[in-house]
Amino acid sequence: MNFTKQTTAIFYNLKPLPIQQMLDFDFLCERPPSVIAIVHPGKKGVHKAFFGQKEVLIPVYDSLQEATQKHQTAEVLINFASHRSAYPAAKEAMETTSLKTIVIVAEGIPERQTKELIALAKQQHKLIIGPSTVGGIAAGSFRIAGYAGGKIENVIRAKLYRPGSVGLVSKSGGMMNELFNIIARTTDGVKEGVAVGGDLFPGSTLLDHLLRFEKDEKIKLLVALGELGGKQEYDIIKARQEGRSTKPLIMWIPGTCAEIFPWEVQFGHAGAKTGSDEESAKAKNQALKEAGIIVPESFERLEEKIKETFEELKKEGKIIVEEEPMPKEVPLDYAEALKEGKVRKATNITSTISSDLAEEPTYGAIPISKVIEENYSLGNLLALLWFKKKLPNYFIQFLEKCIILAADHGPAVSGAHNAIVAARAGKDVISSLCSGLLTIGPRFGGAIDDACRYFKNVVDNNTLPAAFVEDMKQKGISIPGIGHRIKSIRNPDKRVELLKEFARQNFPATKHLDYALQVEKITAKKAENLILNVDGCMAALFLDALKSSQQFNPEEIKEIIEIGYMNGLFALSRSIGIIGHILDQKRLKEGLYRHPTEDILYLNDKE
Amino acid sequence: MARVKIREFDAKNLILAKLNRIYKGILIDSTTNLEQLSLQYPWILQEKLTVKPDQLFGKRGKLGLVLLNADFQQVKGYLQRHLNKEITIGKATDKLTHFLIEPFIPHEKEYYLSITSERDHDILHFSEEGGINVEENWNKISKIEVPTLQELDLEKINIPEKIKKFIQEVFHLYRRSHFCYLEFNPFTFDQNRNIILIDTVAQIDSCGITMLLPKPFGRKSHPEEEFVAAIDKESGASLKLTVLNPKGRIWNILSGGGASLIYLDAVVNLGKHEEIANYGEYSGNPTTEETYQYTKTILSTMTKEHHPQGKVLLIGGAIANFTDVEKTFIGIIKALQEYQDPLRKGNVSIFVRRGGPNYEKGLRLMEQTGKELQIPIAVHGPETPMTKIVEKILGVSS
């Protein structure tokens, strides 16, 4: 199996990042996209990915069978399944004729399963790379599994976009990437690099790849990094002795530190473990050296050994360094560039009341858990999210009283009625609630807001109450907040009394309330029921609360009134009642409401 | 997955249960109430017994640690003498904490069976002359290689039918239950011609593990290691901690299975192995929270005691393929901030070398942290050879 610019792959398990990184590599190397199909059990359709600045669609199948049938040219399966499902997927791939190489990324596949896959691969003449690997890179041709070589900047720094003369194989993926850089510094670069994975029995061994590199004429120099544990390095010695591997080979076995542990240690890789003496790094390095392989004194000397060997091959004319091409520029991913501070963009939305960017969502700057811990009441919450201030206690209590007072007015008012009709038409809670809320406006529920505007205006302008009443009369507008259906001066509204009582005891000043009461004095003389109603009282007291809290400047108060905070408060409060009615109707299983015809005056034109 | 050794007691339990047989054996540790033992296992008062340590080391007979053909009184005497006694085997010194009591089986013939797992096959070794001198009689051993996809065929082997059947069964369960190594030396027959396992050694793939894993003989237990093992188990990434010498000067947070070896090798290579405090490795792109918890564990351990020269924290790695350096470093930095006082008091200096995704940002954050916390943090990127910082720490140059 050779990885070329024509090699294409099926990607198992839809992982956007490594797929994108394979395509970015393809774009950099000026080859067509290498991932031509994706298998993701339970999903069908297409996956969008970038190829340069343009987007391409990669078909997604929910079975490997379908993907291989439709994409016979794909020779590589990049198996990104978890350690639980990687084995069945790999086994299925073994049975196909088109797939020749199976890359298994997952770590933690049982040894018994890997052994079975190894045996099957031998029968079916497939190449396994992994398990427990990041894959590898065929420089300028094919990126095996997407993560190998890291981000595109590193791929460019290590000159992996064009082939060099070195064949690299390593147990460790991280060290492969480190060696990509070392080799780029000291030679004309890597032709191909593969990480075989840290398991004791990798699907393909260091030797398997060295033998592949032996057949690749472009590769003149071999570098291999083994590891303590296992015996696969001894197979390399055998192959050297038998003349199956002849190219200059520089090798190092990390893990000489193991001898300082007085007990058996399991290092990071599953296969990296102290065991018998022959499996130790020291013994393996020694044996490799005796077999004529170039083994430095330590890893630190590996770089100079590579350089020396490369220079010799160059001098002997065995390596001719080619002219350096300019790598193509791969566009930065927007999210990435943003994260790195390389681009900026004006935002479309501003939010100043809450955030979900921190570990925990915040109301203002306060984490929600703190809101709970400190027992914020509903009024405190309004202060935080609506007013963005810490409001005095009487203000908070006043807001809460308003919410309680305005929560419901029975089923007959337009908001509740509409909601009931909608609920009985079989609409869901939210639709029914909206249908009720939509009635709130100038005639229903809007009185508080209107009263706020009028009372603010007259108090600000020092209009005398009598002049105000006269003016409204002239204009033919009834004063918002004045008048009650039943109650009168002699039969006062208890709610208003309670609110007034509360304000007198707790508010520092009640200038607007006093004004409203003076208006009431005048209007009540005209008709008994023209008294300050609960809407008017709330409005006047809201103005008093805003002003006396000394938290808002006149501009802010003006804005609050113009925006219609009291309408918001009313909608919030009344939603409680409306939802109650909706739930009530649903509980009662009431059928579709049809208005009785006798209640409708039909006035149709006669024929 | 990784191979792990399991106790003889667990191995026999596992194997005999799969063979539908009852295992008569008792695992003793310091919590066992010996006076009450016969209530649960009346046979210990009726039969002759054997007792031996069960702590993953071999050559127990040669070490004089096996008591044979004893009554329970003698076993108690043996346990009184040996339980919690410290012994040294090779380089490892540790306490004897676990013992195995089994019925003593008088026998003459000792058989040997082992199964090992190689890349392309399983290898079976069998001998009718097993026991303590099996190695001297190695020429009498039959060796059978069973390729991975083939079944064991004992047709042509000339051994008693009963043993054949037993080996077949054991071989099956060896494969099915994810064993990687199994040795019975010896096994024998009792008076009723039942096969009895006398000594058993087993290694199992960690995917097949359900029991609590024993620690290797000589390795001291550290709660920090268990804490990290618990994070590791839950995580999709890999986080490993082995404490070697809690008084050591050089503490390690290394990334990558391969790179972590390179760093420790470098310290050992410069002759400073006695200064290494731990082997600490993370890889596979752990979350910020995971690296935070991991680093915290190491910092809390390393700042418990001061070192006259001041301790060193080595945060080293190769050039990562996909581990996000910035993200993992933010976790490390959070832990450094939390432990800034003990770190300053302990005169700890920190050396960093790392490359990979977002390394520039990660390194910059690390540098800033050093300035803010007034802790010396030397920061190096991929342009610095990996182990250069080890030379700096040890004050040598190659």
Side-chain angles (χ1 to χ4, degrees):
Chain A
M1 172 78 206
N2 239 342
F3 298 105
T4 67
K5 269 187 158 60
Q6 283 75 45
T7 306
T8 52
I10 295 174
F11 202 101
Y12 193 101
N13 199 2
L14 207 173
K15 292 254 178 192
L17 180 61
I19 291 171
Q20 187 58 60
Q21 296 204 147
M22 281 179 78
L23 264 58
D24 284 346
F25 180 81
D26 298 336
F27 184 78
L28 178 72
C29 302
E30 301 185 57
R31 59 154 288 170
S34 56
V35 180
I36 56 170
I38 296 165
V39 179
H40 195 92
K43 203 171 168 156
K44 270 182 166 184
V46 288
H47 173 69
K48 257 210 271 188
F50 281 108
F51 186 65
Q53 252 184 327
K54 279 197 294 198
E55 281 175 293
V56 290
L57 298 179
I58 307 169
V60 180
Y61 304 94
D62 72 349
S63 80
L64 182 62
Q65 200 191 0
E66 197 184 346
T68 46
Q69 269 166 12
K70 294 210 171 128
H71 302 275
Q72 289 281 319
T73 54
E75 292 193 326
V76 182
L77 179 74
I78 308 287
N79 182 349
F80 246 96
S82 75
H83 71 276
R84 279 174 214 88
S85 35
Y87 164 74
K91 217 172 156 181
E92 204 187 335
M94 293 284 173
E95 283 152 25
T96 66
T97 46
S98 54
L99 294 168
K100 305 280 189 271
T101 299
I102 297 151
V103 186
I104 306 171
V105 173
E107 190 176 343
I109 293 181
E111 191 178 298
R112 181 64 44 192
Q113 294 183 347
T114 310
K115 282 179 62 164
E116 259 180 59
L117 293 175
I118 290 169
L120 286 170
K122 213 167 233 177
Q123 271 182 6
Q124 313 285 340
H125 306 290
K126 313 272 190 207
L127 172 69
I128 303 175
I129 299 176
S132 191
T133 182
V134 288
I137 279 190
S141 297
F142 184 79
R143 189 173 196 174
I144 310 162
Y147 282 140
K151 284 172 77 171
I152 205 78
E153 303 89 85
N154 188 61
V155 171
I156 293 169
R157 188 167 49 224
K159 298 184 179 146
L160 295 166
Y161 49 84
R162 50 60 167 175
S165 307
V166 181
L168 166 68
V169 61
S170 161
K171 289 276 295 179
S172 152
M175 288 309 297
M176 172 181 70
N177 200 14
E178 187 74 34
L179 282 162
F180 281 153
N181 283 268
I182 290 176
I183 290 168
R185 276 202 297 266
T186 47
T187 71
D188 65 346
V190 156
K191 165 76 196 327
E192 190 177 319
V194 175
V196 297
D199 282 2
L200 183 60
F201 297 140
S204 52
T205 61
L206 299 173
L207 175 63
D208 289 334
H209 293 280
L210 292 178
L211 294 179
R212 275 197 323 113
F213 297 161
E214 189 72 19
K215 290 185 207 142
D216 187 332
E217 282 180 8
K218 185 84 183 57
I219 291 177
K220 309 287 183 195
L221 171 59
L222 306 171
V223 177
L225 195 75
E227 199 163 85
L228 83 154
K231 296 171 204 158
Q232 56 164 307
E233 289 86 351
Y234 292 99
D235 296 338
I236 298 173
I237 295 176
K238 205 165 158 240
R240 301 291 287 187
Q241 286 161 349
E242 290 168 1
R244 287 184 291 138
S245 171
T246 59
K247 293 179 181 174
L249 168 61
I250 303 156
M251 223 177 143
W252 177 248
I253 311 296
T256 48
C257 63
E259 62 189 36
I260 66 161
F261 290 83
W263 61 82
E264 258 194 27
V265 198
Q266 173 70 59
F267 293 99
H269 290 152
K273 195 175 180 178
T274 47
S276 64
D277 283 346
E278 60 171 342
E279 293 180 49
S280 75
K282 198 174 165 186
K284 290 202 261 192
N285 276 321
Q286 187 60 33
L288 292 166
K289 198 167 195 169
E290 282 163 14
I293 292 163
I294 305 166
V295 179
E297 290 152 47
S298 66
F299 173 77
E300 287 67 32
R301 295 282 160 88
L302 186 68
E303 183 162 349
E304 67 189 53
K305 286 283 178 206
I306 296 171
K307 195 178 163 91
E308 273 171 30
T309 314
F310 176 76
E311 290 301 331
E312 263 170 52
L313 289 167
K314 218 164 78 175
K315 223 160 76 189
E316 289 167 23
K318 288 185 179 152
I319 290 175
I320 295 145
V321 177
E322 286 168 26
E323 208 176 307
E324 200 64 54
M326 270 293 283
K328 208 169 161 180
E329 195 141 335
V330 178
L332 268 180
D333 209 33
Y334 176 72
E336 190 87 346
L338 192 69
K339 199 177 151 211
E340 285 175 15
K342 288 184 179 157
V343 290
R344 60 188 182 195
K345 178 184 162 292
T347 52
N348 282 316
I349 288 179
T350 309
S351 167
T352 68
I353 65 161
S354 64
S355 167
D356 54 354
L357 291 179
E359 270 177 46
E360 190 188 311
T362 57
Y363 294 159
I366 303 172
I368 294 180
S369 59
K370 204 176 159 202
V371 173
I372 297 283
E373 276 166 14
E374 295 185 359
N375 266 325
Y376 271 57
S377 68
L378 188 58
N380 288 121
L381 191 63
L382 289 189
L384 211 55
L385 289 176
W386 289 18
F387 297 90
K388 305 204 300 166
K389 285 195 199 300
K390 189 133 184 72
L391 295 177
N393 249 338
Y394 66 87
F395 200 149
I396 299 289
Q397 282 176 309
F398 165 70
L399 290 173
E400 285 169 357
K401 283 184 195 300
C402 290
I403 290 170
I404 290 166
L405 281 172
D408 191 41
H409 254 179
V413 295
S414 47
H417 177 78
N418 247 25
I420 287 169
V421 172
R424 289 183 57 174
K427 301 295 285 188
D428 57 287
V429 174
I430 305 304
S431 307
S432 306
L433 171 64
C434 290
S435 137
L437 289 176
L438 287 173
T439 63
I440 298 175
R443 295 185 184 170
F444 170 63
I448 315 176
D449 220 43
D450 279 347
C452 270
R453 285 193 194 105
Y454 278 109
F455 286 145
K456 180 175 184 316
N457 206 7
V458 289
V459 172
D460 286 355
N461 294 334
N462 291 321
T463 312
L464 288 173
F468 172 48
V469 174
E470 189 53 37
D471 181 45
M472 293 297 269
K473 194 184 163 193
Q474 292 286 327
K475 287 180 184 154
I477 304 171
S478 49
I479 301 171
I482 296 286
H484 197 279
R485 203 158 46 87
I486 305 157
K487 299 286 178 184
S488 63
I489 283 284
R490 275 172 301 162
N491 175 23
D493 186 338
K494 186 107 188 262
R495 298 173 297 173
V496 176
E497 295 306 304
L498 287 171
L499 270 182
K500 274 163 30 183
E501 177 66 21
F502 173 76
R504 297 239 187 277
Q505 281 183 15
N506 297 286
F507 277 41
T510 54
K511 196 174 170 193
H512 293 86
L513 178 65
D514 299 343
Y515 185 94
L517 290 171
Q518 283 177 335
V519 172
E520 181 189 45
K521 253 184 198 162
I522 301 164
T523 54
K525 274 182 200 152
K526 302 187 180 189
E528 280 243 304
N529 68 337
L530 286 183
I531 52 167
L532 179 66
N533 62 27
V534 77
D535 294 344
C537 186
M538 282 188 213
L541 286 177
F542 184 55
L543 293 166
D544 284 331
L546 285 173
K547 190 140 195 187
S548 52
S549 71
Q550 297 184 334
Q551 299 266 7
F552 306 92
N553 62 35
E555 269 308 305
E556 285 171 331
I557 294 177
K558 190 171 163 235
E559 195 179 29
I560 284 171
I561 301 305
E562 272 169 11
I563 290 173
Y565 269 49
M566 275 320 253
N567 248 351
L569 194 70
F570 180 77
L572 169 70
S573 160
R574 189 50 61 90
S575 293
I576 298 170
I578 291 178
I579 292 170
H581 285 292
I582 297 163
L583 300 176
D584 193 35
Q585 294 303 308
K586 299 236 174 223
R587 259 195 324 263
L588 293 167
K589 311 223 168 14
E590 289 281 30
L592 179 67
Y593 176 80
R594 191 183 165 85
H595 202 73
T597 47
E598 66 270 24
D599 191 40
I600 300 170
L601 171 62
Y602 292 88
L603 271 177
N604 296 332
D605 291 337
K606 290 205 177 94
E607 275 178 32
Chain B
M1 283 195 109
R3 291 177 170 190
V4 290
K5 287 186 174 172
I6 58 173
R7 282 192 209 287
E8 181 168 3
F9 173 80
D10 289 321
K12 285 178 170 172
N13 244 330
L14 201 69
I15 292 162
L16 292 172
K18 301 254 180 200
L19 298 177
N20 286 319
R21 299 228 342 236
I22 291 161
Y23 171 50
K24 250 168 129 181
I26 311 165
L27 185 68
I28 304 289
D29 63 20
S30 57
T31 64
T32 313
N33 184 343
L34 292 175
E35 302 310 318
Q36 302 277 316
L37 207 58
S38 63
L39 295 178
Q40 202 183 343
Y41 309 99
W43 52 268
I44 57 172
L45 298 179
Q46 294 145 12
E47 296 179 38
K48 286 290 186 182
L49 308 170
T50 68
V51 59
K52 58 193 172 185
D54 188 2
Q55 287 176 245
L56 314 183
F57 60 83
K59 309 254 185 304
R60 292 168 296 186
K62 285 181 181 162
L63 289 163
L65 291 170
V66 183
L67 179 66
L68 296 170
N69 199 8
D71 61 27
F72 186 56
Q73 275 310 318
Q74 290 170 305
V75 168
K76 277 205 288 191
Y78 165 98
L79 289 172
Q80 266 159 17
R81 286 196 303 280
H82 290 102
L83 192 64
N84 286 324
K85 200 180 122 189
E86 203 167 73
I87 63 160
T88 301
I89 302 169
K91 283 191 282 181
T93 299
D94 205 347
K95 277 182 183 164
L96 293 172
T97 54
H98 290 76
F99 294 87
L100 185 56
I101 298 177
E102 290 176 339
F104 172 71
I105 308 294
H107 62 275
E108 281 176 12
K109 203 117 170 82
E110 295 198 325
Y111 301 93
Y112 175 88
L113 174 69
S114 76
I115 312 173
T116 47
S117 182
E118 295 295 332
R119 188 179 160 79
D120 297 317
H121 45 251
D122 298 301
I123 302 176
L124 211 121
H125 285 102
F126 174 74
S127 168
E128 296 193 62
E129 291 184 38
I132 202 160
N133 295 320
V134 71
E135 280 164 32
E136 282 99 271
N137 295 320
W138 202 247
N139 55 338
K140 290 178 183 155
I141 288 222
S142 345
K143 178 182 173 185
I144 309 167
E145 279 187 14
V146 192
T148 305
L149 298 178
Q150 285 175 26
E151 293 300 320
L152 171 64
D153 182 7
L154 291 173
E155 280 302 304
K156 287 170 216 145
I157 312 253
N158 185 23
I159 46 173
E161 217 31 60
K162 195 149 190 174
I163 292 180
K164 240 183 217 186
K165 187 168 170 269
F166 171 70
I167 293 177
Q168 279 290 6
E169 285 178 339
V170 168
F171 185 75
H172 255 122
L173 84 87
Y174 173 90
R175 280 188 168 176
R176 216 175 41 238
S177 306
H178 294 286
F179 280 95
C180 312
Y181 179 77
L182 201 52
E183 184 190 68
F184 304 145
N185 185 31
F187 68 93
T188 189
F189 289 96
D190 67 5
Q191 292 131 315
N192 307 321
R193 295 291 293 160
N194 284 321
I195 285 178
I196 300 292
L197 308 177
I198 307 266
D199 284 327
T200 300
V201 181
Q203 280 184 38
I204 195 164
D205 189 305
S206 53
C207 75
I209 289 292
T210 49
M211 70 284 285
L212 205 65
L213 277 181
K215 67 179 181 66
F217 184 79
R219 177 168 170 178
K220 306 285 173 285
S221 296
H222 296 280
E224 297 84 4
E225 294 171 344
E226 279 159 41
F227 181 74
V228 169
I231 310 176
D232 183 44
K233 209 173 163 198
E234 294 301 312
S235 169
S238 161
L239 300 120
K240 303 269 184 292
L241 173 63
T242 304
V243 177
L244 183 62
N245 170 18
K247 293 185 191 306
R249 190 166 77 97
I250 303 171
W251 289 76
N252 301 285
I253 298 178
L254 305 171
S255 21
S260 57
L261 292 176
I262 299 282
Y263 279 99
L264 285 203
D265 283 357
V267 180
V268 173
N269 208 17
L270 293 168
K272 300 288 183 177
H273 66 267
E274 74 284 355
E275 302 210 349
I276 297 177
N278 75 314
Y279 171 71
E281 187 261 350
Y282 71 84
S283 56
N285 200 15
T287 64
T288 299
E289 177 66 20
E290 283 162 356
T291 52
Y292 160 66
Q293 294 289 353
Y294 182 79
T295 310
K296 224 168 74 162
T297 313
I298 289 189
L299 297 183
S300 96
T301 319
M302 80 179 282
T303 52
K304 268 183 205 157
E305 285 177 49
H306 290 178
H307 191 282
Q309 285 165 267
K311 287 185 181 172
V312 169
L313 179 62
L314 170 54
I315 302 172
I319 303 167
N321 290 290
F322 68 101
T323 293
D324 186 327
V325 176
E326 183 192 6
K327 192 181 80 182
T328 47
F329 273 19
I330 288 173
I332 294 178
I333 287 169
K334 198 174 153 197
L336 292 176
Q337 284 164 339
E338 212 171 297
Y339 276 85
Q340 51 175 297
D341 285 336
L343 286 169
R344 277 191 300 257
K345 275 185 199 132
N347 200 12
V348 173
S349 40
I350 299 172
F351 292 79
V352 181
R353 192 278 186 183
R354 190 75 167 126
N358 300 321
Y359 78 90
E360 299 94 333
K361 280 201 158 184
L363 295 180
R364 211 175 305 133
L365 286 175
M366 202 55 99
E367 203 158 36
Q368 274 169 18
T369 305
K371 281 181 196 147
E372 276 163 26
L373 305 183
Q374 298 186 317
I375 293 169
I377 304 184
V379 175
H380 301 269
E383 64 292 339
T384 308
M386 278 173 68
T387 54
K388 201 90 198 157
I389 56 170
V390 176
E391 293 169 15
K392 286 186 179 165
I393 291 168
L394 299 174
V396 287
S397 60
S398 60

